[in-house]
Each structure stands twice: as C-alpha cells, then as structure tokens.
Amino acid sequence: MRHPHHCGDGLIKLTQNSSFKQELSVETGADQTVTKSGSSVKAQVIGALSMKAAFTLEHTSSVPAGREKTDTETALTMVYSF
C-alpha cells in the first residue's frame, strides 16, 4: 500500500503574463518510495492562448533489474483558457 504525501508546490508570478510553478510529491510504501518533481513556465501568448514548457522527474527507489530508477519528461504545450 502506498501512502501519498504532497510535499508542496509553489507558484511565482514572473510578470503580469507569465509564471513559474514547482511541485513536489512523495509516495512511500513497504517496498519502495516514489519521488516526483515538476517545474513549468507558463506565458500568455495572446488573449486566452498561453504556452507552457514543463520538465518532470520521477525517481523510484526500487525497480526491477534492467530498469532505470529515474524517468524524465519534457513537454511543450499550448493552453487555451476558457
């Protein structure tokens, strides 16, 4: 059984139209611990349209042989706000 722990997040307004966000969470269990960290920058392009660049890192303390303990993800997305 995993026990999720939301360690926190932070949002920093860089300008009137842009922000930086940092999130951190930890899930603990009897056999392993999963730590996940995400960072993103969001900026308004025009009107309700924004661009977001994000990087996520996930580390698992115990994995099967031949697997990496750390996974990363990079994303660039367009966001439309209603």
Side-chain angles (χ1 to χ4, degrees):
M1 179 178 192
R2 286 191 177 176
H3 303 282
H5 304 282
H6 182 75
C7 295
D9 56 1
L11 180 66
I12 300 171
K13 193 92 164 147
L14 301 173
T15 67
Q16 182 179 350
N17 300 320
S18 65
S19 60
F20 172 80
K21 187 174 185 178
Q22 178 70 48
E23 300 173 287
L24 178 65
S25 66
V26 178
E27 292 182 16
T28 58
D31 298 330
Q32 66 183 12
T33 299
V34 178
T35 306
K36 189 171 185 179
S37 174
S39 301
S40 63
V41 175
K42 183 176 176 183
Q44 182 182 14
V45 176
I46 188 168
L49 187 63
S50 298
M51 182 270 323
K52 181 178 175 183
F55 179 77
T56 304
L57 183 136
E58 184 174 307
H59 179 82
T60 305
S61 63
S62 178
V63 296
R67 302 270 323 256
E68 296 289 329
K69 288 186 174 188
T70 303
D71 293 320
T72 60
E73 178 182 300
T74 304
L76 182 59
T77 56
M78 299 301 288
V79 179
Y80 189 82
S81 300
F82 294 93

